[in-house]
Amino acid sequence: MANETQLWMWFLFNAGLTPQRAKTLLAMWDQRGLTLRAALEALPAPANALGLTSEEVAKLHPPRELPDIAALRWNEPLYPLGLQQLPIKLRPALLFYSGELSLLMRPMIYLAPGPLDDETRELVQETVGILLGENLLLAAFRESPQAALLLEEMIASEGEALLFAKQGLEHLTLPEQEQTLVQDGRLLILSPLPPTAPLNPAWADVLQQVAAGAAMRRVYSNATALDKTEAGTNALANALLLTASSDTHAPQGIRVVTNAAEAALWLTELPAAPISTTEQTTARPSPPRPLELAAEPPTDPPPSPAEALRVLEKGGRVPEALKKRLFGN
C-alpha cells in the first residue's frame, strides 16, 4: 500500500489536477487535520465538504502500487519554516532529495549564485572557510561559482552543505566528488522540481526564490545578483552583500560587508526562526527578535579583531578557525 508521500506525488503530478489546484486542496485538508489518504478514502460521499467537484472526484483513484520516492512534504518537521511564508503558488508541496536529510535541522545560509571577480571570490572563499564545520548548513546552486568554492573548501577540510539542483533529480548525474560527499552524509542535494523535470532556464527565478525562502540568512556576492524580490521586503533584513568593493551600490537597507570576519560574525548571529503555518493556528507568535541591521548600510569601519572577538565571546565558544581568521594567523 502506498504511503502518504507516494500519494502526494501522484496527487500533485499524475491525478489529472493542476499542481496549483492540488496544492490548494492539500493546504485546505491539512488545516482541517486531514491526511490525503483520509480524504481519498472518504470519497465519493462528502465531495462537497472536501471542496471537490464531481469531475475531480472521478479522477481521484490512485493505483494500488506507486513508485518509491525520496521527498519531504510541506507538513513534515524538517521542511524549512521559511518556505511556509511563501505564497502557495511558489511554495513546493514536496522537496525531492538525495543525501542526509537531517542536515535540514541546521540553520541554512544561502550563497546566492552570481559572477565573482577575483577579490570577491577570495573574500567569499575565506568566509566559507570560517563557517564550514560549524553547526550551520551552507547552501548554493549546483554549478554556480559559489557552489564550486563551497565544494573546494569541503574537500580540503570538513563540514556539510546543501546544493540546490536546477532540474529533477532523475536528470542529474553527480560527479564523483559530489557522490562521495553524499554517501558520506556531508552533502544534501535538494530540488523542488519533480524527478522527471528537465533543466529549463525559464524556472531559474522561481528556483532562486524558493532557495532564498528556505534560508535563515542570504549572502549575495554582487549587487546585480540581488534578486528584485529582496528589495522592499522584510526579507532584506536577513540578507547581506559580501563584496571586495566598499563603494558598491546596493538597495537601501542592505548590509554591505567587505570583511570575512565581520560577515561570519553577522551570519552566526541568526534571527529567530519564523513560526510555521501549523504553529500559527495553535500558538500566539512571539514578538520578532530585533536584528542588528540599520535602515541604511553602515558607514562605520568594521570592528577590530579584538572588538569582534569580545562580541563573539558573549555568545559562547568561539571556533578556533574564526580566531585565526580574525587575527590573521
Side-chain angles (χ1 to χ4, degrees), residues 43-117:
L43 294 175
N48 290 336
L50 290 174
L52 293 164
T53 66
S54 56
E55 292 80 7
E56 289 172 333
V57 169
K59 299 175 181 178
L60 300 183
H61 300 286
R64 291 188 59 84
E65 299 294 330
L66 289 169
D68 291 334
I69 190 72
L72 181 69
R73 303 189 308 274
W74 68 17
N75 59 358
E76 293 189 273
L78 287 178
Y79 188 87
L81 291 181
L83 293 182
Q84 298 284 6
Q85 315 307 312
L86 292 179
I88 197 168
K89 183 177 180 179
L90 289 176
R91 190 192 321 155
L94 291 173
L95 290 173
F96 301 91
Y97 68 90
S98 175
E100 183 52 62
L101 193 60
S102 66
L103 291 176
L104 288 177
M105 295 175 66
R106 303 181 182 186
M108 188 189 304
I109 294 176
Y110 169 55
L111 308 175
L116 297 171
D117 57 47

Side-chain angles (χ1 to χ4, degrees), residues 300-312:
D300 295 335
S304 69
E307 291 171 338
L309 182 59
R310 280 197 297 273
V311 173
L312 284 169

Side-chain angles (χ1 to χ4, degrees), residues 107-180:
M108 188 189 304
I109 294 176
Y110 169 55
L111 308 175
L116 297 171
D117 57 47
D118 290 342
E119 291 182 329
T120 301
R121 180 186 302 275
E122 184 177 343
L123 181 59
V124 173
Q125 187 161 15
E126 185 177 1
T127 305
V128 167
I130 294 173
L131 296 175
L132 267 177
E134 301 305 313
N135 191 34
L136 299 167
L137 184 62
L138 299 185
F141 266 96
R142 290 194 69 257
E143 299 179 341
S144 67
Q146 289 73 13
L149 292 178
L150 183 52
L151 290 169
E152 182 180 335
E153 287 294 310
M154 288 179 69
I155 292 166
S157 56
E158 57 182 0
E160 294 77 30
L162 181 155
L163 292 183
F164 289 101
K166 295 177 284 187
Q167 65 271 86
L169 297 186
E170 287 185 11
H171 285 269
L172 189 62
T173 301
L174 297 180
E176 185 177 352
Q177 288 180 332
E178 290 182 38
Q179 289 182 33
T180 300

